[in-house]
């Protein structure tokens, strides 16, 4: 027997100024008539309520009586009430859609504009996806210009299958570059809010500098080393080869310089907040760096990192750098291998791992992790990573995991 033979389905919409007890009043009235609620959704924007209920009137029910009572209740409470009949075919189509894949698009910027949202919605429409839900994850945004500490984030829930997921990601990357906004696109799976390990590159990711460049400046070879570093990060040079070249230029640097450099390392915006939050949730954390253990261990003590893997510096009897390289060098492939080793040791699925990095040598670990994030990354990395974050600090990652502002730890 079809739905049409047994019941009547109606979409009830209530809108008006929000007040305590509105949802209670309408649900109690429906209960008195023995009405089933098939679906329900409610939002409040600037103290204005929008409540929707898909209700089922059982066979023999007097729909006119139910609707009349609902209209009277709306008048009594000062809100508008509207009804839309739902056909049996439309209802069955709605039920059939529940097996489709779900995706999440996350918009992040210092301040989200209509241009940002329209560009995102254009790509979504091109790919044949439906927007099911839109939620603001960030706190309320003050009027006026956004400042350096502002954070705005909206999460959009999508239903369906994209025509071409690779094209969709490419369009989002281009939109992000054009509009100074981050647009993350990920499948909504059970792993999304169930990550357990986060692995960071160190230089230009966890800290806002390249340590080897700082050491080179102290040694008087800053320009030469910086040029090699930039070519390596852009993917123009093999990392191991470039690393050996740069280390040779540091020969003779006194060990005392390392402590001076470590003391002034600039921690990246949001790093401390992110790590404090994920540690409170039971995450393990790791630094997987093509830099040096001396500085990784310094950050480990400062931030409470669980694992540190980087390259070991060697000194001669006078406490000066030899310029030699200790193997194995932590390059891109080594980072990916270490990520897998830590996950296996902690009995964590790779789908539950987050990797964050900015350079070409981070791509192998970004691809190995369930969630790989190119952070303030070089163009080649943004184009080849599944997610990118550039407009705000590392704590923006919390929004990619679906955490609302009120569920995040404060800075106190």
């Amino acid at each position: 027997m079809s739905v049409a033979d047994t019941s009547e389905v109606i979409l009830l919409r209530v809108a008006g100024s929000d007040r305590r007890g509105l949802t209670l009043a309408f649900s109690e009235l429906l209960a008195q008539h023995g009405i089933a609620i098939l679906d329900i959704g409610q939002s409040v924007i600037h103290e204005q309520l929008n409540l929707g209920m898909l209700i089922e009137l059982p066979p023999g029910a007097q729909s006119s009586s139910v609707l009349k009572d609902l209209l009277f209740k709306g008048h009594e409470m000062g809100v508008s009430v509207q009804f839309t009949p739902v056909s049996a075919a439309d209802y069955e189509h709605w039920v059939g859609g529940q097996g489709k894949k779900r995706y999440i698009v996350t918009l992040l910027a210092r301040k989200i504009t209509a241009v940002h949202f329209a560009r995102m919605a254009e790509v979504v429409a091109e790919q044949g996806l439906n927007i099911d839900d839109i939620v603001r994850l960030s706190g309320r945004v003050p009027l006026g210009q956004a400042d350096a500490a502002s954070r705005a984030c909206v999460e959009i829930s999508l239903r369906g299958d994209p025509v071409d997921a690779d094209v969709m990601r490419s369009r989002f990357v281009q939109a992000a570059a054009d509009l100074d906004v981050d647009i993350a696109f990920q499948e909504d799976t059970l792993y999304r809010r169930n990550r357990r390990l986060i692995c960071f590159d160190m230089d230009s990711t966890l800290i806002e500098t390249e340590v080897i460049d700082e050491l080179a400046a102290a040694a008087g070879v800053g320009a030469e080393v910086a040029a090699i570093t930039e070519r390596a990060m852009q993917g123009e040079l093999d990392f191991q080869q470039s690393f050996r070249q740069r280390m040779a230029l540091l020969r003779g640097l006194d060990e005392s310089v390392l402590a001076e450099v470590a003391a002034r390392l600039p921690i990246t915006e949001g790093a401390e907040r992110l790590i404090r939050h994920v540690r409170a949730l039971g995450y393990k954390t790791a630094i997987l760096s093509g830099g040096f253990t001396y500085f990784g261990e310094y950050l480990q003590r400062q931030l409470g990192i669980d694992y540190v893997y980087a390259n070991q510096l060697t000194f001669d009897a006078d406490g000066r750098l030899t310029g030699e390289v200790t193997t194995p060098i932590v390059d891109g492939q080594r980072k990916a291998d270490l990520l897998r080793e830590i996950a296996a040791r902690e009995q964590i699925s790779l789908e539950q791992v987050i990797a964050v990095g900015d350079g070409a040598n981070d791509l192998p670990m970004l691809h190995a992790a369930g969630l790989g994030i190119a952070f303030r990354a070089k163009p080649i990395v943004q184009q080849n990573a599944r997610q990118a974050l550039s407009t705000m600090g590392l704590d923006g990652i919390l929004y990619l995991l679906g955490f609302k502002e009120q569920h995040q730890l404060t800075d106190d």
Side-chain angles (χ1 to χ4, degrees):
M1 186 176 293
S2 69
V3 173
D5 296 328
T6 60
S7 59
E8 184 179 1
V9 178
I10 292 174
L11 175 60
L12 163 66
R13 287 177 289 182
V14 179
S17 296
D18 189 30
R19 56 182 285 191
R20 186 176 299 173
L22 267 173
T23 305
L24 171 63
F26 282 95
S27 58
E28 281 187 338
L29 179 56
L30 292 172
Q32 291 169 13
H33 286 276
I35 304 300
I37 298 176
L38 304 173
D39 195 17
I40 186 169
Q42 178 176 308
S43 66
V44 178
I45 301 177
H46 196 61
E47 309 301 334
Q48 294 298 303
L49 170 81
N50 286 279
L51 169 64
M53 293 183 182
L54 194 64
I55 60 176
E56 177 187 8
L57 278 63
Q62 294 293 319
S63 61
S64 59
S65 174
V66 176
L67 303 186
K68 178 181 176 182
D69 287 350
L70 288 168
L71 285 169
F72 182 79
K73 180 61 68 175
H75 176 75
E76 181 183 286
M77 304 199 75
V79 294
S80 69
V81 176
Q82 294 182 325
F83 308 107
T84 303
V86 177
S87 69
D90 286 344
Y91 179 79
E92 295 295 349
H93 178 75
W94 175 72
V95 171
Q98 64 188 329
K100 291 185 177 180
K101 284 186 177 180
R102 301 278 174 166
Y103 295 89
I104 295 292
V105 169
T106 311
L107 280 180
L108 304 99
R110 295 299 179 181
K111 192 167 188 176
I112 293 174
T113 70
V115 173
H116 295 153
F117 203 90
R119 186 75 169 269
M120 176 279 302
E122 178 185 26
V123 176
V124 168
E126 286 174 355
Q127 292 294 321
L129 297 170
N130 292 328
I131 295 177
D132 275 351
D133 198 18
I134 302 172
V135 179
R136 174 173 50 83
L137 299 185
S138 56
R140 293 171 180 171
V141 180
L143 293 175
Q145 293 295 318
D147 58 32
S150 298
R151 291 192 296 260
C153 179
V154 175
E155 179 181 281
I156 301 98
S157 178
L158 307 175
R159 172 170 40 89
D161 290 303
V163 175
D164 189 320
D166 290 336
V167 170
M168 189 171 185
R169 290 185 193 278
S170 177
R171 293 271 280 125
F172 281 149
V173 168
Q174 187 60 55
D178 293 344
L179 303 175
D180 194 24
V181 64
D182 291 321
I183 308 176
F185 172 64
Q186 53 186 314
E187 190 173 350
D188 192 10
T189 69
L190 62 88
Y191 294 110
R192 180 167 169 257
R193 300 192 189 188
N194 191 31
R195 312 291 183 183
R196 286 293 175 266
L197 168 64
I198 181 165
C199 299
F200 298 96
D201 172 48
M202 182 172 66
D203 298 71
S204 295
T205 299
L206 205 53
I207 55 176
E208 295 180 330
T209 188
E210 293 284 330
V211 167
I212 198 166
D213 290 347
E214 297 290 323
L215 297 178
V221 291
E224 296 94 319
V225 168
I228 298 171
T229 299
E230 182 61 22
R231 292 183 65 194
M233 297 303 285
Q234 294 287 358
E236 297 174 9
L237 286 178
D238 171 77
F239 180 82
Q240 291 209 18
Q241 181 184 12
S242 69
F243 185 69
R244 293 178 188 277
Q245 290 177 9
R246 288 176 290 175
M247 285 302 301
L249 290 170
L250 297 180
R251 183 182 296 113
L253 187 64
D254 194 273
E255 187 174 1
S256 62
V257 174
L258 275 67
E260 297 172 7
V261 171
R264 62 174 187 265
L265 288 178
I267 305 297
T268 298
E269 174 197 357
E272 292 169 293
R273 185 168 182 263
L274 170 64
I275 292 170
R276 185 159 48 89
H277 192 101
V278 297
R279 283 176 58 82
L281 293 172
Y283 280 56
K284 293 296 183 180
T285 56
I287 292 174
L288 306 180
S289 174
F292 308 110
T293 54
Y294 182 96
F295 301 96
E297 289 168 357
Y298 180 90
L299 291 172
Q300 180 179 36
R301 294 188 294 270
Q302 190 171 358
L303 300 176
I305 302 291
D306 295 298
Y307 294 94
V308 172
Y309 291 95
N311 295 299
Q312 188 70 43
L313 293 169
T314 59
F315 299 87
D316 62 21
D318 295 324
R320 296 181 181 277
L321 283 177
T322 65
E324 297 174 356
V325 172
T326 302
T327 56
I329 294 173
V330 179
D331 58 5
Q333 187 55 53
R334 179 68 175 149
K335 287 185 180 185
D337 293 342
L338 288 167
L339 180 148
R340 294 186 181 93
E341 287 178 19
I342 296 171
R345 188 180 313 162
E346 296 289 345
Q347 297 183 319
I348 294 170
S349 164
L350 289 177
E351 287 291 339
Q352 295 176 285
V353 180
I354 304 168
V356 190
D358 73 299
N361 66 318
D362 294 312
L363 282 171
M365 77 170 181
L366 298 187
H367 291 155
L371 177 61
I373 302 168
F375 179 72
R376 298 180 181 175
K378 312 300 182 288
I380 189 174
V381 184
Q382 291 194 33
Q383 292 163 10
N384 287 279
R386 281 171 289 181
Q387 310 298 340
L389 186 65
S390 299
T391 63
M392 59 181 65
L394 280 169
D395 52 348
I397 291 171
L398 295 172
Y399 294 128
L400 299 190
L401 303 179
F403 290 106
K404 291 185 176 182
E405 191 84 20
Q406 63 263 38
H407 298 150
Q408 298 180 23
L409 298 178
T410 65
D411 294 328
D412 298 334

